[in-house]
Amino acid sequence: MSSSSSSYDYIIVGGGVAGLTLASRLSKLLPPGDSKQILVLEAGKDPSKTDFILSATGYALARESEHAYILDVTPNPHLNGRKSQVSVGKGLSGSGAINGSAWTRGPKVDYDYWAKLVGDDAWSYDKLLPFFRKTEQVIHDANSGRDHVHHGYDGSLKVVPMRANHPSRHYPLRETILQAWKEAGVKYNPDGNNGDQNGLTEMVELWVQGQRQLPSQVLDLSRVEIRESSIVQRITFDSPAGAEPVATGAELVGGEHFTANKEVILCAGVYHSPQVLMLSGIGDPSTLDKHGIPVVVPNAEVGKNLVDHLAVGMTWKLKHPEKGLAFGSPLFNDPSYFTGWPMDFIEFGALDEPVKLEPLIENAQDRAFLLRPGASHMESVTLYVPMGERLTGIDAAIDGSHISSIAVCLATTSKGAVTIQSANPEDPPLIDTNFNATKTDRYISREALRKVASVYLDTETGKSLVSHEVTPEGYAAITTDTSDDEIDKRIRDFGYSLDHPMGTCSMGKVVDSHCRVKGVKGLRVVDGSVIPVPMACHIQATVYALAERVAEWVANGE
């Protein structure tokens, strides 16, 4: 809807997961007023009438549609200078309209590490747990019961474990994959979202019988003013002599200005929140001077500390597809199989021998981060379809004869950066992911790939399932004995982003522990950019909880 006023108590820049969650909760916490108190400015449009946005089968189209920013990434010398792109949401619901809908919280120790790092226990797992519960409406099956300590059952989002989704959605290879991981010594963990995620966990998703839950549809926004197609040029400030600058509002491209009587809250995402800060005069003075932007607050950390998860795909030839995945099997005849991801499990795990990281670690902070008991260093996923040439180098037909796997470095210590290329807000930010830059990252990625290979090639169940890994021409198959050099070659040529960026307005460096921007008043950043540690999860669950947490502080003026 169009705005009917130019003055609001709170202006939220960005109508994605964080912005809409914050707006919805804040609207409930504030006393009713005579007029709208909260304005959300969203650069994109409402995608809720777009079929491929709403359907699980439209995921690939969503990422390349008008409802996504498709951003170029600087060629990475640690990935053979390859160019790449990342997609983030551009539309009401943000990346909640284009993401894969996986729901993982990450381990308790990550949040406790976060709390210790910023000196605020509010970010510990136990203190965040009420906000996770507030978000969720967990759908449970008859055999699992309810766990009110760790989960919520009255929230806005239906959170669906794979086994509790469509009644007939039972993949033929489920028990085989489960047995192979058990033979490899990995425990089955029926609930990876209770703070202890390591093990083979049930896939949990937000797809409900194949339909996406858009934040703009499931959250109560009845007391929120929303303005679409509104690109913010800059945050405006009043700068009293001898005092900290105070955020006064937001100016759009074209010059229209909205006044914030209390706060401006930036929720534009990991790539665009630092861009807006820089365009507004908060950033590295040398960067701002280069583009003729007056410095409001010098802070060279804006845009730094970018982390993401690097993944590598593998393709496996099945020995006997006729026993489960060949054409004619239920997988290709039952529509329920296409109502979410074609998989049952995610495996999260620590390194078998983390002590081997010791000689590779470069500094004390990385040592404390990597060697924590209970950490999740890596993630592995089995998909019951081949992933395709772009991600694996293999163009295998989707005919039931191949499956694929993903191996992920979660505990990354490689840090990139986001900056601006001009003072024009319509020019995309410059992104350097700097993937694969550290020795520890390369070690974890190799071990993740070797772990997957050992499940398929070294267990009796795995050997009965697959005949071999199908490799790109000129590349060695990955086994537990494959050399580091051969595996590093595969990572450099085929590693890709799992779309879990975080950290570019990092807590403790750009914002304080209540997400208030350092050096100014009346301005916060509330989205994945403030997460100060590489979380071992698919981060949307964290972002929902983060926004719920900060909404209470905003309402209380804290």
Side-chain angles (χ1 to χ4, degrees):
M1 67 181 74
S2 298
S3 62
S4 56
S5 171
S6 61
S7 178
Y8 295 82
D9 286 342
Y10 302 94
I11 294 176
I12 296 173
V13 179
V17 166
L20 295 187
T21 300
L22 179 68
S24 175
R25 182 61 60 191
L26 185 58
S27 72
K28 295 177 174 63
L29 295 171
L30 296 174
D34 294 333
S35 61
K36 300 288 186 181
Q37 298 166 292
I38 303 168
L39 172 66
V40 173
L41 297 172
E42 168 53 46
K45 300 176 181 178
D46 182 0
S48 63
K49 306 298 183 185
T50 306
D51 288 343
F52 62 76
I53 292 288
L54 299 177
S55 170
T57 58
Y59 167 66
L61 292 174
R63 290 170 48 81
E64 299 177 359
S65 72
E66 65 172 323
H67 301 298
Y69 291 100
I70 303 172
L71 303 172
D72 291 329
V73 176
T74 302
N76 187 338
H78 311 294
L79 297 178
N80 276 350
R82 285 189 289 127
K83 296 181 180 180
S84 61
Q85 294 179 321
V86 292
S87 293
V88 291
K90 181 186 180 182
L92 202 59
S93 294
S95 290
I98 69 166
N99 66 19
S101 288
W103 190 261
T104 66
R105 287 183 187 172
K108 179 181 187 296
V109 295
D110 279 9
Y111 296 94
D112 293 348
Y113 182 79
W114 174 351
K116 183 177 180 180
L117 187 67
V118 303
D120 190 338
D121 192 50
W123 296 106
S124 69
Y125 182 80
D126 289 343
K127 292 296 179 63
L128 273 178
L129 189 53
F131 300 98
F132 281 116
R133 289 197 300 258
K134 191 174 291 188
T135 302
E136 294 179 338
Q137 184 186 145
V138 173
I139 306 301
H140 65 289
D141 61 23
N143 297 320
S144 62
R146 294 191 176 196
D147 177 358
H148 290 280
V149 173
H150 293 105
H151 295 294
Y153 298 90
D154 301 309
S156 300
L157 287 165
K158 291 183 173 65
V159 176
V160 189
M162 185 65 72
R163 64 181 180 220
N165 207 320
H166 197 290
S168 64
R169 189 175 161 201
H170 185 91
Y171 291 110
L173 293 183
R174 176 184 169 91
E175 281 71 28
T176 305
I177 297 298
L178 176 60
Q179 181 60 31
W181 281 96
K182 283 184 176 180
E183 283 184 45
V186 175
K187 69 176 182 179
Y188 171 66
N189 182 353
D191 182 4
N193 283 329
N194 64 5
D196 177 17
Q197 77 170 10
N198 282 351
L200 190 71
T201 73
E202 293 285 337
M203 170 65 175
V204 181
E205 56 189 6
L206 296 185
W207 301 115
V208 179
Q209 296 191 11
Q211 292 297 297
R212 183 186 294 278
Q213 298 175 82
L214 286 174
S216 60
Q217 293 181 316
V218 301
L219 297 171
D220 180 5
L221 299 167
S222 59
R223 291 184 58 201
V224 177
E225 191 82 26
I226 297 174
R227 175 162 171 155
E228 302 167 21
S229 302
S230 299
I231 299 173
V232 171
Q233 168 79 39
R234 64 188 179 102
I235 308 300
T236 57
F237 297 94
D238 181 17
S239 300
E244 286 186 335
V246 179
T248 58
E251 180 182 303
L252 303 185
V253 169
E256 189 174 7
H257 183 266
F258 296 92
T259 299
N261 301 318
K262 294 185 177 179
E263 288 194 33
V264 178
I265 307 170
L266 188 54
C267 304
V270 176
Y271 302 122
H272 291 98
S273 282
Q275 180 186 29
V276 174
L277 286 181
M278 291 182 220
L279 293 174
S280 306
I282 300 175
D284 188 330
S286 63
T287 300
L288 304 184
D289 290 344
K290 176 182 176 181
H291 299 294
I293 300 170
V295 177
V296 175
V297 175
N299 189 334
E301 294 293 335
V302 174
K304 302 292 177 60
N305 201 48
L306 172 65
V307 295
D308 195 353
H309 296 147
L310 184 69
V312 181
M314 306 168 77
T315 303
W316 302 91
K317 177 71 169 65
L318 294 178
K319 276 187 175 178
H320 303 289
E322 70 277 3
K323 292 184 178 181
L325 294 184
F327 276 127
S329 76
L331 181 62
F332 294 97
N333 293 328
D334 188 336
S336 72
Y337 286 115
F338 301 96
T339 58
W341 283 99
M343 56 184 285
D344 284 298
F345 307 109
I346 301 179
E347 190 269 340
F348 294 102
L351 292 166
D352 290 338
E353 298 180 277
V355 68
K356 290 188 175 180
L357 284 175
E358 285 271 17
L360 308 177
I361 296 174
E362 297 179 1
N363 56 64
Q365 183 169 323
D366 286 353
R367 178 173 287 103
F369 169 68
L370 290 168
L371 301 182
R372 294 166 298 140
S376 298
H377 294 108
M378 51 194 183
E379 171 187 343
S380 304
V381 172
T382 297
L383 295 161
Y384 302 137
V385 292
M387 292 172 57
E389 187 170 9
R390 183 178 71 85
L391 302 178
T392 65
I394 300 297
D395 186 20
I398 304 178
D399 61 2
S401 61
H402 296 80
I403 60 174
S404 56
S405 58
I406 306 171
V408 186
C409 172
L410 293 178
T412 179
T413 56
S414 298
K415 294 184 178 180
V418 173
T419 190
I420 54 175
Q421 60 175 310
S422 77
N424 181 354
E426 296 183 275
D427 284 341
L430 296 174
I431 302 168
D432 177 10
T433 57
N434 199 35
F435 276 131
N436 206 37
T438 64
K439 293 179 181 178
T440 55
D441 280 18
R442 294 193 284 273
Y443 180 86
I444 293 170
S445 290
R446 288 195 298 267
E447 290 304 296
L449 286 162
R450 286 185 173 122
K451 183 68 173 180
V452 172
S454 72
V455 171
Y456 292 120
L457 302 177
D458 297 340
T459 68
E460 291 306 312
T461 301
K463 287 186 284 189
S464 72
L465 175 67
V466 306
S467 62
H468 62 281
E469 185 201 356
V470 184
T471 63
E473 186 175 353
Y475 292 81
I478 295 175
T479 71
T480 53
D481 297 324
T482 303
S483 71
D484 288 357
D485 287 346
E486 288 285 358
I487 298 178
D488 283 344
K489 178 183 177 183
R490 184 86 71 88
I491 295 166
R492 288 194 303 269
D493 286 347
F494 294 101
Y496 63 96
S497 167
L498 210 58
D499 296 324
H500 301 159
M502 51 199 126
T504 52
C505 297
S506 190
M507 193 175 291
K509 296 180 178 180
V510 176
V511 301
D512 68 11
S513 68
H514 283 212
C515 294
R516 296 171 293 211
V517 175
K518 293 188 170 188
V520 299
K521 294 181 178 179
L523 177 62
R524 299 189 206 230
V525 181
V526 182
D527 56 32
S529 70
V530 306
I531 298 174
V533 298
M535 300 296 294
C537 63
H538 300 225
I539 64 170
Q540 70 168 329
T542 305
V543 172
Y544 274 105
L546 184 155
E548 289 278 5
R549 165 65 280 184
V550 179
E552 289 194 0
W553 286 333
V554 173
N556 295 328
E558 299 177 37

